[in-house]
Amino acid sequence: MTKRSLRTHLLLLYVLLALLSGIIVPMISMHITLAEFRGYLRERKKYDIDELADALVSLYQEENGWDERRVRDVLRQASRIPMMALALYDVDGRRIFPSRGGPAHMKTPNETSTRRPSGNEALHNWFNKIPLKSDGQSIGTLIVTLPPMPGKVELMFVKRLGLYAVVGAILMVVLACALGFIVAGGLSRPVLRAADRARRISRGEYDTTSESEKPSGIREMDALSESVEELGHALDGQEKLRQRLMVDIAHELRTPLTVIKSQLEALADGVWDASPERLELCVKEIDRLSELIAEVERLSNLEGEFLSLHMEPRDLGAFLAGILDSFEQLFARSGVTLTRKLPERERITVGIDAGRFRHVIENLLSNALHYTEAGGNVEVRLGFADGNARIEIEDSGMGIGPSDLPHVFERFYRSDASRTRGTGGRGVGLAIARAAVEAHGGVISVKSTPGKGSLFTITLPPE
């Protein structure tokens, strides 16, 4: 099946609408108008003939017979009606009007008839024979001769309407093609650009910041183009994140493996003795690898479809207080103040998996402590907001840069470009925290200002 372009479809639609509005609709309207016009003429002539017959009967009654002079005056006046010829015969069939032309007598003047002659006669006249009666007695016959319907004037009128309809249809088709070409181009160009952009995205050409396209002015078309562009930028970001992820994973694995390899090679070559200290260093590096693998497994389980949570109602205030008590000494040794604002009388109860949710809070507190210098402050708040439980952990640390903020919950993402162990962890903790909170039906978010600190917010639905 041959596929037509959007422009061709729109052009055909415009032409079809032009033909419909320029020919079919006018022809139907003209046919209805002519039919109504003919009906009006027939009714009007019937009314005129009936009035003329009544006038003749009244004249006969006034004169007690036919006064030819007055009859001629009445009928001559009536004969001026367009497309009407008149003749009057008395009861004996003698012609009274007109005095000349036509048969002088009628054979059957007392019969009423209306007929349309056949043959060539039908091309000229309609005959209407009307009996005239006074007090139930026949006094004569009025014959009305009408031209056929439609007449020459009507036929000329119809031809002119038909000509105008044809000319109008041609002009409308030409105009529709011109407008259709312009409108179809305006509609098809954004679609073609979006399709071309999608093809380039499929080839891996995500970033096209150097290209600039003018808006089409059509909201839906611009929305389509913008959506494709946003898709390209999102995929470009994901591709860069994937590349960075691979570098991070390689870095995380390379460092402990390099240490273990160098230690074992030195032991094998006899450079070092197999002392407990050397072996302990190898074991620590192996533990480091094991912890990394365990964290990846934990994240995969939290993000998997078959995660099972052991949910039970818990008083969040008491739950957080227990965790904060265990961190008091750690914060005190680091010189960081840990403050809490927990409701004393109000119980905020939610359903949580205590083990998994404790890991989330501990991770956030550890990050806050790690990135807050001595003399700083970390505050934990608990309350209600829009019917949901809200936990806020705010620190006065170094903060997170605007370019890093959208990615802090990505796995293996660390804001420090150097990836050094001294300033950052493995980049998995916040990803695990987000997965755990979402598994509880909640939301975790972050706001941060570089140099002033960060605010992590967890929102949980009530039990």
Side-chain angles (χ1 to χ4, degrees), residues 47-62:
Y47 176 78
D48 292 339
I49 292 171
D50 291 341
E51 277 198 336
L52 180 59
D54 293 340
L56 291 173
V57 171
S58 298
L59 177 62
Y60 181 87
Q61 291 173 346
E62 290 177 5

Side-chain angles (χ1 to χ4, degrees), residues 279-444:
L279 295 177
E280 183 180 359
L281 179 60
C282 293
V283 172
K284 287 183 178 179
E285 294 300 326
I286 293 174
D287 289 340
R288 180 177 166 187
L289 283 176
S290 299
E291 290 176 4
L292 175 62
I293 295 172
E295 288 182 349
V296 173
E297 282 183 341
R298 189 181 303 115
L299 178 60
S300 299
N301 291 333
L302 287 171
E303 293 179 343
E305 297 180 359
F306 305 104
L307 172 67
S308 59
L309 296 176
H310 302 287
M311 308 288 284
E312 56 184 3
R314 283 295 186 101
D315 179 3
L316 275 184
F319 180 78
L320 292 175
I323 299 176
L324 294 175
D325 289 342
S326 64
F327 272 80
E328 284 284 358
Q329 293 298 323
L330 187 59
F331 273 77
R333 285 198 302 268
S334 300
V336 178
T337 302
L338 177 62
T339 59
R340 64 185 77 183
K341 290 185 179 180
L342 306 177
E344 298 180 358
R345 299 179 180 179
E346 181 183 13
R347 287 174 57 91
I348 300 178
T349 304
V350 295
I352 59 173
D353 183 316
R356 295 187 186 276
F357 199 73
R358 182 184 183 88
H359 182 79
V360 173
I361 303 300
E362 289 177 347
N363 182 271
L364 295 178
L365 289 174
S366 298
N367 286 345
L369 176 61
H370 183 79
Y371 290 103
T372 302
E373 296 180 356
N377 178 67
V378 175
E379 183 175 86
V380 179
R381 297 185 292 268
L382 173 64
F384 267 115
D386 300 326
N388 295 319
R390 171 177 287 186
I391 303 171
E392 295 180 342
I393 299 178
E394 185 174 12
D395 63 65
S396 59
M398 66 177 60
I400 304 171
S403 60
D404 296 315
L405 198 60
H407 306 290
V408 294
F409 294 108
E410 301 287 347
R411 60 177 72 181
F412 292 103
Y413 188 89
R414 293 204 310 273
S415 60
D416 53 306
S418 62
R419 319 291 199 273
T420 60
R421 299 301 307 164
T423 58
R426 299 184 181 89
V428 183
L430 289 179
I432 293 175
R434 182 183 67 174
V437 171
E438 291 178 351
H440 284 77
V443 177
I444 183 171

Side-chain angles (χ1 to χ4, degrees), residues 261-277:
K261 180 182 178 182
S262 62
Q263 293 289 330
L264 293 178
E265 285 178 347
L267 292 175
D269 294 340
V271 177
W272 290 335
D273 294 332
S275 63
E277 291 80 8

Side-chain angles (χ1 to χ4, degrees), residues 7 10-11 14-15 171-187:
R7 177 173 295 183
L10 290 175
L11 282 176
Y14 270 84
V15 172
L171 291 176
M172 291 190 70
V173 169
V174 173
L175 182 61
C177 290
L179 291 176
F181 184 81
I182 297 173
V183 174
L187 290 175

